[in-house]
Amino acid sequence: MPAGAGAGTPLPETRKHDAEIERLFGAAGPLSPAVGVYRPRQSQMEMAKAIAHAIDGQKTLIAEAGTGTGKTFAYLVPALLWGGKTIVSTGTKNLQDQLFLRDIPAVRAALQAPVSVALLKGRANYVCHYHLERTLQNGRLTSRDDIGHLREISRFIKMTRSGDKAELSKVPENALIWNLVTSTRDTCLGAECQYYQDCFVMKARKEAQQADVVVVNHHLFFADVALKDNGVAELLPSANTIIFDEAHQLPDTATLFFGNTVSTSHVLELCRDVLAEGLVHARDGADWAKVVTVVEKAARDLRLTFPQDIVRLSLPQIAPSSGFFPALETLKDELEGMISVLETQAERAETLEQCRTRAVELGGQIQAWQREPKANVTPGQEAVFWVEAFAASLHLHQTPLSIAPIFNSQREGVPRSWIFTSATLAVKNDFKHFASQMGLSDEPARSWPSPFDYEKQGLLYVPHNLPQPNAPGFTDAVIDCALPMIEAAGGRTFLLCTTIRAVNRAAERLRDEFSKRNLPYPLLVQGERGRTELLERFRAAGNAVLIGSQSFWEGVDVRGDALSLVIIDKLPFAPPDDPVLAARIEVMEKQGLNGFMHRSLPEAIINLKQGAGRLIRDEGDRGVLMICDPRLISKPYGKRIWQSLPPFKRTRAAEEVIAFFKDEHPLAS
C-alpha cells in the first residue's frame, strides 16, 4: 500500500473541520501559547485534517508521521473536539502517564474543550485493600526492603485517590512486594470483597465509563478485549473513536494476548494459595501439604525435562527422549487430583472456590497441550505450540499464526473510527507489512515527512572492514571501530545492541578501554539500574555512554547535546530460532511468498527505524548514526534498508565523522 493511498481530495462534507484546524494550528492559534516554543508545521496540520475526516466518516486510517511532526497534538485536537467517546491506547505506561498528565491537559486548556479524561491501567497497577490487609496480617515477607516498602504502601493507601502505584516513587515499580498487595483477575474477589466499595480498580473503571476520553495502553487494551474482562471490554461498545499511538507495537502485543500461555510458575503460585487457604478455611478437609506437594513436584519435574537455562522449541522440535510428554501427563493427572479435592471443599470459603476456578482454568490450558494439538484448532485460527524454558520456570505457549482474523472480528459491529499512528509503520513508503499483519489491507494509509533537515543535521556512517555479524569477536570489532567515534563525540553516545550478551561484552570492553585511556565518560549499562534512572543520569551527565538492548531502541527521547552518536551493532533481524516466526515463514512460503523479503526484512527495517529515531529529536539536534553491520552495503537488500531510514548524508570514511564532530557551527533551522 503506497503512501497517500486512499488520501484523495476530501469530499465537501468532510471539509467542514479543515478551516478550524488551520486556525488552531496556525501561528496565532491557541495551541501556540499552550506549548511554549511552537512553530506551525504543515505536516502536522495535514495529519490533523486526515484524522478529522476519518473521525467524521467513522473510517479507519493508518497514519505514519516522521519524528518531529507533532503527531500527538495532530490526533488529540480532532479527537477532543469531534471524537465523541474516545479511547487512546499508547505503547507503554510511561507514555500513558505523559498523555494523561501533560499532553491532554495542555490541549484541553488551549481548546477550552469541556471533555472529561480518565486514566485506566491494568489491575496490577492499583493497590488492593484486601491483599494489602492479608499481607500485613500474614507477614510473609522475605527481606528488610519488603518491610520498609510495606510501611510506605500502608501510608500511601490512606492518602491516595487513585491507588496507582506510579504515584508512590519511594517503592520501585519492580519491587516484589507489589505482587503481594495487588490483585490479578484470578485473585480478585469482585463484589464479594469486603472492600468492594473502596476498590481502586473499580473506581478507575467507573471513571473510565463516564469519561469522554480514556487513556489506556496496548497491553491493557488487548488483555481486556481477549479475556473479556471488565475494563476496556466494557468501554468498547460506547466508543466512537479508537486511537492507537505507537501502533507499530500492536502486532506483537496482540499476538501475546490473543495467544495463550501457561507456566509452571502459575502452577506453583496456585499451590501456594491452595495450601494457605486450605489450612485457614478447611484444615480438617484434606492433608493440604500432601495435596499440593505432588502437584509442585510434577511442575518442577516438567521444567527439569530441559536441562538448559534458556530454551525455545516448537512442539515438533521437542525430542521424544526428553521426557517432556510423560512429565506433562503426570502434571495433568496430579492437577486433576487437586481439583477433585478442591471441589469437595470449595463451598467452605469464597477464596477456596476461587482456587478451584483457577485450577480448572489452568488444567484446561494444559490439556490443550498434546502431541498432536492441531486437532483442537479452529480453521483460520491456527496456532503455533512452543515451549520456552527459563532458569526457574517453563512456559507453554499457544500463539496464533495470524492475528488479522481475530483482530478483524474485534473491529466488526458498531461503526467507529480506528486511527493507527506511529513514526515507523512503512517500509520505504509501503504499508503492506503492517496492514497485512493487522488485517487492514484495504484501509487508507498516509505518511507525513519529518520537518527535520536530516541531510544537514545528521550523518549515516557504515565502517569499512568489519567482520560478518556471526563471526567470533564481532562485538570486539565493533568496539574497536566505535572508540575513535566516541572520543570524537566526547561521549554523548547510545550503543544499541541486538542481544544482552553483546551488551555485557561491550560494557566489559568499554570499561577497560575508558580506564586505560583515562577517558572521563560515565558508562551506563542496561540492567545495572532501572531504565528511567539510566536515562536521567545520561541526560544529567552530558557526556555519558549508555549501552542498551531492545528497551532502549524506542520510546526514548533525549534532546539536545547529551546524545550526538547512536551506534547500532547489527541489523535487528529476529533470532532464527524463533518458533513463531519460523512457523509464519513456513506458511508464507507455502503460499509462494519469500519469507525473508516479506516478513523478516520488513520487521527488521521497522525496528531499525525506531533505533535510528533516537538520534535527531529536535530541529537543533545534530549527530551521527553508525551502523556496524556490513550487510547494509554487501547484501542486495541493504539498499532497501537505508532507503527506509531518514535521508542522512552517507559516508564510509571515519575521518568524515571526526570532521563532523569538530564542526561546531550552529545549523540553520
Side-chain angles (χ1 to χ4, degrees), residues 263-542:
S263 76
T264 53
S265 296
H266 291 149
V267 176
L268 295 175
E269 283 166 17
L270 172 66
C271 288
R272 182 194 69 193
D273 291 346
V274 168
L275 180 60
E277 299 304 332
L279 291 176
V280 170
H281 298 291
R283 183 177 286 271
D284 59 337
D287 183 344
W288 292 103
K290 188 176 177 183
V291 168
V292 302
T293 299
V294 289
V295 181
E296 287 175 337
K297 182 178 185 304
R300 292 195 172 101
D301 287 348
L302 182 65
R303 167 62 192 91
L304 292 173
T305 58
F306 299 100
Q308 309 95 314
D309 265 5
I310 305 292
V311 178
R312 290 161 66 89
L313 294 173
S314 63
L315 198 57
Q317 293 174 315
I318 300 173
S321 60
S322 68
F324 170 78
F325 288 103
L328 185 65
E329 290 306 313
T330 301
L331 177 58
K332 289 178 185 177
D333 292 343
E334 300 297 1
L335 198 53
E336 279 299 315
M338 187 163 81
I339 290 169
S340 298
V341 174
L342 284 167
E343 281 173 346
T344 66
Q345 304 297 319
E347 63 186 21
R348 296 176 69 171
E350 178 65 32
T351 49
L352 276 172
E353 169 58 26
Q354 195 178 63
C355 286
R356 186 198 68 81
T357 304
R358 284 167 64 192
V360 168
E361 198 169 299
L362 268 178
Q365 289 174 295
I366 295 171
Q367 283 297 340
W369 273 76
Q370 302 168 9
R371 285 181 189 268
E372 295 297 332
K374 286 193 176 177
N376 303 321
V377 177
T378 309
Q381 293 186 11
E382 287 78 9
V384 186
F385 285 75
W386 58 288
V387 299
E388 188 172 24
F390 297 97
S393 67
L394 184 72
H395 292 221
L396 309 179
H397 299 285
Q398 185 179 344
T399 304
L401 269 173
S402 171
I403 60 158
I406 311 171
F407 185 60
N408 271 335
S409 71
Q410 302 293 338
R411 293 176 64 230
E412 288 168 359
V414 181
R416 58 172 67 96
S417 58
W418 296 79
I419 312 296
F420 301 84
T421 185
S422 168
T424 54
L425 293 174
V427 175
K428 202 183 163 191
N429 287 336
D430 185 335
F431 290 84
K432 280 197 192 81
H433 178 66
F434 174 77
S436 63
Q437 283 182 292
M438 298 301 294
L440 305 171
S441 300
D442 299 322
E443 302 293 2
R446 293 192 61 182
S447 186
W448 290 272
S450 167
F452 300 153
D453 188 345
Y454 284 114
E455 196 164 337
K456 284 185 180 176
Q457 290 179 250
L459 194 63
L460 170 60
Y461 168 50
V462 182
H464 281 291
N465 303 322
L466 275 169
Q468 290 301 307
N470 59 354
F474 175 76
T475 301
D476 287 296
V478 168
I479 297 302
D480 292 338
C481 265
L483 270 163
M485 305 306 128
I486 292 170
E487 285 196 70
R492 305 187 299 155
T493 299
F494 269 13
L495 171 53
L496 301 178
C497 302
T498 52
T499 65
I500 294 294
R501 183 184 297 169
V503 167
N504 294 335
R505 178 58 188 156
E508 187 183 339
R509 276 291 314 276
L510 285 181
R511 267 200 190 94
D512 187 42
E513 295 290 346
F514 286 3
S515 175
K516 276 185 199 167
R517 301 174 188 219
N518 202 25
L519 296 174
Y521 314 133
L523 189 64
L524 306 170
V525 183
Q526 179 179 330
E528 294 182 1
R529 293 278 188 282
R531 186 173 106 144
T532 304
E533 186 180 342
L534 287 174
L535 286 170
E536 285 171 359
R537 289 186 174 200
F538 184 86
R539 291 188 186 100

Side-chain angles (χ1 to χ4, degrees), residues 80-322:
L80 266 57
L81 290 177
W82 308 298
K85 176 86 171 185
T86 299
I87 298 174
V88 181
S89 182
T90 69
T92 64
K93 285 183 285 189
N94 285 343
L95 285 171
Q96 203 183 346
D97 287 334
Q98 180 184 309
L99 261 176
F100 180 72
L101 298 171
R102 193 182 77 190
D103 297 337
I104 293 178
V107 174
R108 181 171 60 177
L111 302 178
Q112 296 184 323
V115 295
S116 54
V117 186
L119 182 69
L120 185 60
K121 297 182 181 179
R123 295 174 173 280
N125 293 279
Y126 300 99
V127 181
C128 168
H129 291 82
Y130 171 75
H131 286 285
L132 173 60
E133 185 66 29
R134 193 171 166 217
T135 302
L136 286 167
Q137 288 173 356
N138 291 353
R140 289 185 302 174
L141 302 177
T142 55
S143 73
R144 185 170 296 188
D145 280 351
D146 278 351
I147 296 165
H149 293 334
L150 189 60
R151 198 178 298 121
E152 291 294 345
I153 294 167
S154 298
R155 284 196 203 108
F156 170 68
I157 202 169
K158 291 168 187 163
M159 299 182 289
T160 177
R161 199 185 78 78
S162 71
D164 183 349
K165 69 182 189 182
E167 293 178 9
L168 183 55
S169 57
K170 289 181 181 175
V171 179
E173 189 181 353
N174 58 356
L176 293 176
I177 190 68
W178 288 120
N179 296 328
L180 297 176
V181 298
T182 54
S183 72
T184 66
R185 182 167 165 264
D186 292 329
T187 62
C188 173
L189 298 178
E192 301 295 320
C193 180
Q194 67 196 83
Y195 299 106
Y196 186 73
Q197 296 303 319
D198 300 316
C199 175
F200 293 122
V201 173
M202 292 304 129
K203 283 180 180 174
R205 289 178 170 180
K206 189 174 180 183
E207 285 178 15
Q209 288 288 331
Q210 295 167 351
D212 300 307
V213 178
V214 185
V215 184
V216 301
N217 61 63
H218 302 338
H219 277 74
L220 176 65
F221 185 94
F222 285 108
D224 263 15
V225 169
L227 295 169
K228 294 289 186 289
D229 207 345
N230 299 315
V232 175
E234 279 189 357
L235 294 175
L236 273 177
S238 60
N240 307 100
T241 304
I242 314 280
I243 299 171
F244 291 106
D245 198 348
E246 302 295 326
H248 64 277
Q249 297 177 6
L250 292 180
D252 285 345
T253 308
T255 296
L256 182 67
F257 288 106
F258 289 140
N260 202 337
T261 296
V262 59
S263 76
T264 53
S265 296
H266 291 149
V267 176
L268 295 175
E269 283 166 17
L270 172 66
C271 288
R272 182 194 69 193
D273 291 346
V274 168
L275 180 60
E277 299 304 332
L279 291 176
V280 170
H281 298 291
R283 183 177 286 271
D284 59 337
D287 183 344
W288 292 103
K290 188 176 177 183
V291 168
V292 302
T293 299
V294 289
V295 181
E296 287 175 337
K297 182 178 185 304
R300 292 195 172 101
D301 287 348
L302 182 65
R303 167 62 192 91
L304 292 173
T305 58
F306 299 100
Q308 309 95 314
D309 265 5
I310 305 292
V311 178
R312 290 161 66 89
L313 294 173
S314 63
L315 198 57
Q317 293 174 315
I318 300 173
S321 60
S322 68

